Structures are given as C-alpha cells and as structure tokens.
C-alpha cells in the first residue's frame, strides 16, 4: 500500500488472488471503481476494493453473468434482496438447462435402445420436437378443437386440464409418448381423429360454455374413484356429468335424457389416442398415475351405461 493508503492494481490483484488482467476487466466494466490515478496514470484502489473484488469473484463463481453481477452491485443499499433475486433467477435458468439435458439424455437412450428397424421412425419423431418440448402445439390443438367463442375462463380451464405438464426427468418411454403426442396434434385434419362431437356444431341450441364448465368439475369429481380403481357408479360425479350435458341442451336430467345421452356419446368419435399418450407422458416412476380427463370421461360414460343408474333418476 502506498503512503496515501491506496493500492496499485498489481497489489490488489495479488491480495485477491487474481490476475491484473481480471482487475482491469472489472474496472473497465465499472464493477470495481478506481479511487484515483497516479501521476503516471496508473490505477489506484482504496482498501474497500478488496472486499468488492472478492464479492465479484464469489458471484461469478455462482455463474452469474457479468451484467447480473453489475445489477447486484448497483443495489448495495439492498444487497441481500438483489442477491436473492439474482440467485433465484440463476436457479431457474439452471433448472431449465438441467431439464433440457435430461430430455436429451432420455432421447439418446430411446434411440440407442431401439431396434435398427425402429430407429428411423423414432429419429423423425424426435427431430420434430425441441428438448425439452413445448406444450404450445397441444394448447393450439385444443383451442382449435373446442367450440368457438367459449368464454376465456372456460377455455383456459379446459385447455389447462387437457394439456399435460412436461416431466422434468423423463424416461425414454415418456419422450417417445410426448413425441407421438406432438405428431398427433400436428397431423392434418382429415375428418378422422379430430372429428368433433355434436355439441361443437352451431345452430342447434347448444351452450357449449355450460358443457365444458360442467365437464371440468365432473372430471375432477370422478378422478378420486378412477385413481382408486373403483367401479363406475352413480353419485355426485355422474350427476354433474349429466347436468353439464343437460344444461348445454336446455334439458332436464331425466331417465329418458340419460338414455339418449348414452346413445349420443357412444356414437361420437373419441380422442382415445390422445389420452392414451397423455397417460404415458404423465405416468409417475412409482405409485398410481393421476387420472387423465379421458380416463375420467370413460369412467363416467361407463357409469351412465349402467341401466340401474339411468332408470333411477326422477
């Protein structure tokens, strides 16, 4: 330290355990303010520069980018809050990178473990998907498949229930299922798998917002029975399911309505392929899987088909 209490750039670098080039870099970026310049134009730093330089090194060791370090240092009066926000952001970014790596690993294992005959098809499926994949194509599919002009609240709730969350640590089987799911929703509309039910057609007095609002509740009520493997039966879930259809049609829940509804639903095209893939994507490593809306719908339709449940309504 010089007689004026200031340190040269070399002395500061030596005490901090870094190179002079590093000190110069942080100084030039404004992260490490100079206290003064010598008569010969050399940089001089106050004793507080050592603590600041050590803080900078610690933040960089956490892989915080230099601009983020700069933002933390700008809020010295609220350093703890700024540091907490920076670390939280870095953890989110790191989590996203780790998820991407896990998806890439599972995709590689999927291709490595398949037969030569399967490999071209799997490569095509994986090549059409980002890692980790986006659920945006699935959400677009449902917004296009659902009836037009649904209220925003009903549309959002239905799409949220229908679109599965992306697993953070997928198995190869889940990668394949999600790739097939994305291919399913991206296929051209040919009047087959996407054939829409009667309730989606206009001009017939339907109120689809009542239907889908009620179905969301009915599926949630049936989920507990499906999860526990209980046989389809009457009760609150089935009543809610029928009421949703009756309300959409401006009808009442009667034995005759239930018989007609059962016949109508039996004749409709289904999205079974979609729900089967969703079940694979969301299957947990152990324990019982969470029922999909498709599984809940199957359970409710089976309950509706039971004669004693249809005839018992007054």
């Amino acid at each position: 330290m010089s007689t004026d209490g200031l340190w040269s750039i070399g002395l500061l670098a030596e005490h901090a355990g870094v190179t002079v080039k590093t000190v110069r870099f942080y100084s030039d970026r404004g992260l490490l303010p100079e206290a003064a310049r010598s008569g010969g134009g050399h940089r001089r730093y106050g004793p507080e520069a050592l603590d600041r330089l050590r803080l900078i090194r610690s933040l960089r060791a956490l892989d915080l980018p230099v601009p983020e370090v700069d933002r933390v240092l700008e809020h010295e009066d609220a350093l703890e809050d700024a540091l907490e926000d920076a670390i939280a952001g870095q953890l989110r970014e790191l989590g996203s990178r780790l998820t991407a790596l896990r998806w890439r690993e599972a995709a590689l294992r999927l291709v490595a473990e398949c037969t030569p005959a399967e490999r071209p098809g799997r490569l095509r499926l994986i090549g059409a998907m980002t890692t980790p994949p986006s659920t945006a194509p699935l959400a677009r599919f449902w917004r296009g498949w659902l009836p037009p002009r649904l209220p925003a609240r009903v549309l959002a709730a239905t799409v949220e229930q229908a679109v599965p969350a992306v697993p953070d640590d997928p198995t190869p089987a889940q990668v394949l299922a999600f790739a097939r799911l994305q291919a399913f929703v991206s296929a051209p509309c040919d009047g087959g798998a996407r054939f829409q039910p009667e309730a989606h057609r206009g001009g017939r007095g339907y109120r689809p917002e009542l239907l889908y609002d009620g179905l969301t509740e009915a599926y949630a009520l049936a989920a507990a029975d499906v999860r526990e493997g209980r046989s389809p039966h009457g009760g609150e879930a089935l009543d809610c399911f029928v009421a949703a259809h009756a309300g959409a049609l401006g009808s009442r829940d009667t034995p005759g309505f239930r018989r007609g509804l059962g016949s109508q639903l039996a004749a409709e095209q289904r999205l079974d392929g979609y729900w089967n893939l969703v079940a694979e994507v969301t299957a947990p490593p152990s324990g019982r899987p969470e029922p999909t809306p498709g599984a809940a719908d199957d359970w409710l339709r089976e309950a509706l088909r039971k004669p004693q449940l249809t005839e018992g309504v007054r």
Side-chain angles (χ1 to χ4, degrees):
M1 186 178 297
S2 64
T3 56
D4 58 3
L6 300 181
W7 293 13
S8 69
I9 190 170
L11 191 59
L12 177 60
E14 181 182 346
H15 278 77
V18 299
T19 65
V20 169
K21 183 178 180 180
T22 298
V23 178
R24 186 177 293 113
F25 172 78
Y26 291 137
S27 293
D28 291 343
R29 293 296 299 264
L31 275 66
L32 192 63
E34 303 168 18
R37 288 267 181 161
S38 70
H42 299 294
R43 304 172 197 244
R44 291 287 186 265
Y45 299 90
E48 70 281 354
L50 179 59
D51 288 337
R52 189 177 181 90
L53 184 53
R54 285 172 173 165
L55 176 58
I56 293 171
R57 289 193 65 199
S58 297
L59 295 175
R60 292 290 291 137
L62 294 173
D63 208 24
L64 264 68
V66 171
E68 192 66 34
V69 173
D70 192 17
R71 278 191 287 272
V72 171
L73 295 176
E74 282 179 356
H75 297 84
E76 286 190 272
D77 54 336
L79 183 61
E80 286 301 320
D81 290 341
L83 183 57
E84 187 174 334
D85 289 345
I87 291 174
Q90 194 67 9
L91 284 172
R92 287 192 296 271
E93 181 182 342
L94 183 59
S96 297
R97 285 158 53 191
L98 288 173
T99 299
L101 288 173
R102 293 187 190 108
W103 272 84
R104 191 178 304 169
E105 179 189 18
L108 287 169
R109 287 170 52 201
L110 175 67
V111 175
E113 294 167 4
C114 70
T115 65
E118 294 173 317
R119 193 158 291 155
R122 292 191 176 184
L123 284 171
R124 280 194 297 271
L125 285 169
I126 292 171
M129 182 178 68
T130 60
T131 52
S134 169
T135 58
L138 279 63
R140 282 196 299 271
F141 166 81
W142 281 100
R143 292 192 187 99
W145 188 85
L146 289 165
R149 295 180 295 281
L150 279 179
R153 176 187 61 81
V154 177
L155 179 63
T158 304
V159 172
E160 181 180 3
Q161 192 177 51
V163 175
V166 175
D168 288 335
D169 190 7
T171 63
Q174 286 175 313
V175 171
L176 181 60
F178 202 102
R180 286 174 171 164
L181 194 58
Q182 186 165 293
F184 177 92
V185 301
S186 302
C189 182
D190 57 4
R194 300 191 191 191
F195 185 80
Q196 294 180 322
E198 193 77 16
H200 291 196
R201 302 177 190 179
R204 295 173 177 266
Y206 281 108
R207 295 189 62 189
E209 70 278 8
L210 296 182
L211 174 64
Y212 280 95
D213 203 14
L215 288 180
T216 297
E217 182 180 356
Y219 294 157
L221 290 170
D225 289 310
V226 179
R227 190 183 301 112
E228 298 300 324
R230 300 189 188 105
S231 298
H233 58 80
E236 186 180 8
L238 180 59
D239 291 345
C240 183
F241 180 72
V242 176
H245 286 277
L249 284 164
S251 300
R252 294 187 303 109
D253 182 358
T254 65
F257 179 80
R258 290 198 175 200
R259 285 193 297 272
L261 178 62
S263 299
Q264 174 192 326
L265 295 180
E268 285 182 353
Q269 294 285 340
R270 301 293 306 279
L271 293 173
D272 291 334
Y274 179 92
W275 295 118
N276 290 338
L277 291 169
V278 169
E280 292 183 49
V281 168
T282 58
S286 60
R288 290 173 177 161
E290 191 63 22
T292 66
D297 188 74
D298 286 343
W299 190 93
L300 289 163
R301 290 182 186 222
E302 182 62 30
L304 183 63
R305 281 197 293 269
K306 293 192 173 183
Q308 67 272 24
L309 300 182
T310 300
E311 301 297 337
V313 178
R314 295 290 182 266

